[in-house]
Amino acid sequence: MRTNIVVVNNIFDDQEKIKEAAEVIKEGGIVAFPTETVYGLGADALNEESVKKIFIAKGRPQDNPLIVHVASKNIDSLVESIPEVAQKLMDKFWPGPLTIILKKKDIIPNMTSANLDSIGIRMPNDEIALKLIELSETVIAAPSANISGRPSPTDVQRCIEDLDGKVDCIVGGHKSIIGVESTIVDCTVNPPLVLRPGGITLEMLKEVNPRIEIDKAIMKKPSENLKPKAPGMKYRHYAPKAKVTIISGERKKTIEKINEIVHNYIDNNKKVCILTVEEHEHEYKEGTKILLGSIKDLSTVAQNLFEALRKCDDLGADFILAEAYEEKGVGIAIMNRLNKAAGFDIIKV
Ligand code: TXA
Ligand code: MG
């Protein structure tokens, strides 16, 4: 398949390009596009045949439902009912990195919801994405625009790397500013439950309803009696080719341990990357340092995390060592992604 790659600098000058991509969606094709969280791979959510193409292009398991992206808060035609708490969350956080799970109407095909009777819906805070949805005159089902299992793409180059030749069109824009996928809140249960942590933190959600809790299973290694409730959270994910290990503990001990492990690997002719922050960078003398951001502002770490994992692969790393972050605020989302990338391989010091 020939993939049409278009770059949008701003939605006013480049409206024609977005229109072209919208035509592809209308005709049943699949299009990668920017959002504020990560790039998405979209199709007409109401067209079963189009949605099927997403699963094929990504190599995605069919039992993993897609998120429906909308350009307006009026979602009455898509869902059975909107509980008060869901309405409040939408009013406060849309457009933005929050997906809300609600009971679906029959207009949403089973291919999109993976046969569930509920559907995740989100209004992205990205003008290219919103314009694309609007001009498509439908709602767009979109998972992250990566090959299943790989780190999600946060810029157009990474989309091209994974999807060139597999999709009809790739719309390039700016880098994703959040860097991790949306927070998912299941509003079909009472109190609502966070199924995936993201840019909208638990603390922010609790301001709307203090009873909102987080699915206990998502921060632990999946086991027979502890399974995450979002189907997608059970899969191995965000995995670079290199083996990832997290080192967790007090700052000084963490740095000591990482230096010790790096030294051993290098002695054995292995290539090691260290995921670190600007405050600790100077503490490491050996290995390749990959800077995520600043410990003082964890949103910078979230923003660069997936790109850093991919960069380690570009560098041919055999091993990646990552410092752990406090599980607070966006730190919960960062640790969730790191845990999955590491297959829960954590050294506590
Ligand atoms: O930020 C995002 O949400 C990005 C961008 C492109 O918008 N999209 C994204 O989609 O991360 P994806 O497919 O990579 O992740 C969707 C997650 C999966 O874990 C899936 O199992 C869960 O949402 N999900 C979707 N519908 C669900 C439902 N009805 N019930 C429970 N979990 C659901
Ligand atoms: Mg994904």
Side-chain angles (χ1 to χ4, degrees):
M1 181 191 292
R2 201 189 78 81
T3 301
N4 186 23
I5 298 169
V6 297
V7 175
V8 172
N9 292 311
N10 81 64
I11 59 162
F12 303 105
D13 299 341
D14 298 321
Q15 173 119 211
E16 276 311 307
K17 294 182 189 164
I18 305 179
K19 223 179 216 164
E20 225 179 283
E23 280 308 313
V24 175
I25 299 274
K26 279 186 182 175
E27 285 160 15
I30 52 176
V31 176
F33 62 97
T35 90
E36 82 279 31
T37 56
V38 300
Y39 272 65
L41 175 60
D44 181 348
L46 309 183
N47 179 339
E48 197 133 21
E49 284 308 310
S50 316
V51 171
K52 196 170 178 182
K53 293 179 188 170
I54 293 179
F55 285 91
I56 295 167
K58 281 186 55 115
R60 182 181 175 101
Q62 294 258 352
D63 68 347
N64 193 3
L66 305 180
I67 291 170
V68 173
H69 294 66
V70 296
S72 126
K73 293 185 191 181
N74 185 355
I75 56 169
D76 292 341
S77 64
L78 306 173
V79 297
E80 282 297 333
S81 64
I82 303 174
E84 197 187 322
V85 61
Q87 188 62 53
K88 279 194 186 155
L89 291 170
M90 279 159 48
D91 289 342
K92 180 142 188 181
F93 297 115
W94 279 11
L98 181 71
T99 294
I100 294 178
I101 310 263
L102 294 168
K103 288 268 180 272
K104 78 174 186 75
K105 277 191 174 151
D106 288 341
I107 187 177
I108 307 278
N110 284 331
M111 184 63 68
T112 304
S113 66
N115 291 311
L116 297 178
D117 62 0
S118 62
I119 187 77
I121 306 186
R122 148 170 138 82
M123 181 178 180
N125 186 16
D126 180 291
E127 49 178 18
I128 299 174
L130 291 172
K131 189 51 92 184
L132 177 69
I133 301 165
E134 210 177 277
L135 294 174
S136 303
E137 295 172 344
T138 183
V139 290
I140 295 185
S144 46
N146 51 285
I147 297 294
S148 265
R150 300 216 60 204
S152 303
T154 50
D155 72 20
V156 66
Q157 222 34 58
R158 297 304 188 181
C159 286
I160 296 173
E161 203 175 281
D162 276 21
L163 299 176
D164 193 13
K166 297 195 176 84
V167 303
D168 299 290
C169 177
I170 296 175
V171 179
H174 34 73
K175 248 181 79 172
S176 301
I177 54 164
I178 305 286
V180 290
E181 302 87 346
S182 60
T183 305
I184 301 179
V185 180
D186 186 353
C187 290
T188 68
V189 291
N190 192 0
L193 193 64
V194 176
L195 304 188
R196 178 175 74 183
I200 302 292
T201 64
L202 185 61
E203 293 85 343
M204 290 159 81
L205 295 169
K206 277 184 183 289
E207 274 175 35
V208 173
N209 182 335
R211 292 171 63 229
I212 298 181
E213 283 302 336
I214 195 155
D215 179 3
K216 295 272 179 303
I218 57 184
M219 300 309 277
K220 304 211 172 78
K221 191 170 183 163
S223 67
E224 260 320 296
N225 44 18
L226 196 69
K227 284 200 185 95
K229 294 193 174 55
M233 297 299 279
K234 67 176 181 283
Y235 293 108
R236 182 175 150 82
H237 233 131
Y238 316 120
K241 294 176 192 110
K243 182 175 182 333
V244 184
T245 302
I246 301 169
I247 291 80
S248 166
E250 186 253 316
R251 178 192 128 101
K252 196 160 163 275
K253 285 189 180 151
T254 299
I255 292 167
E256 255 171 42
K257 188 71 186 172
I258 291 179
N259 272 321
E260 177 194 320
I261 301 173
V262 170
H263 189 78
N264 282 335
Y265 280 145
I266 289 177
D267 262 0
N268 287 296
N269 287 318
K270 298 294 181 200
K271 169 107 190 155
V272 199
C273 288
I274 307 164
L275 302 186
T276 185
V277 287
E278 59 190 50
E279 290 84 356
H280 301 167
E281 198 190 6
H282 61 281
E283 305 275 8
Y284 301 109
K285 303 283 175 266
E286 296 178 288
T288 305
K289 289 170 270 192
I290 309 279
L291 204 56
L292 293 175
S294 166
I295 198 90
K296 293 197 196 85
D297 179 5
L298 287 189
S299 69
T300 59
V301 173
Q303 196 175 57
N304 295 311
L305 180 63
F306 288 144
E307 179 53 30
L309 290 171
R310 284 184 178 244
K311 197 185 261 161
C312 294
D313 278 347
D314 292 348
L315 293 168
D318 301 299
F319 295 96
I320 299 172
L321 300 176
E323 298 165 343
Y325 296 88
E326 195 185 352
E327 289 181 13
K328 224 175 89 184
V330 77
I332 298 183
I334 295 168
M335 285 311 292
N336 169 258
R337 304 317 191 267
L338 269 179
N339 277 328
K340 298 193 94 188
F344 291 85
D345 183 22
I346 306 168
I347 297 175
K348 295 209 164 81
V349 289

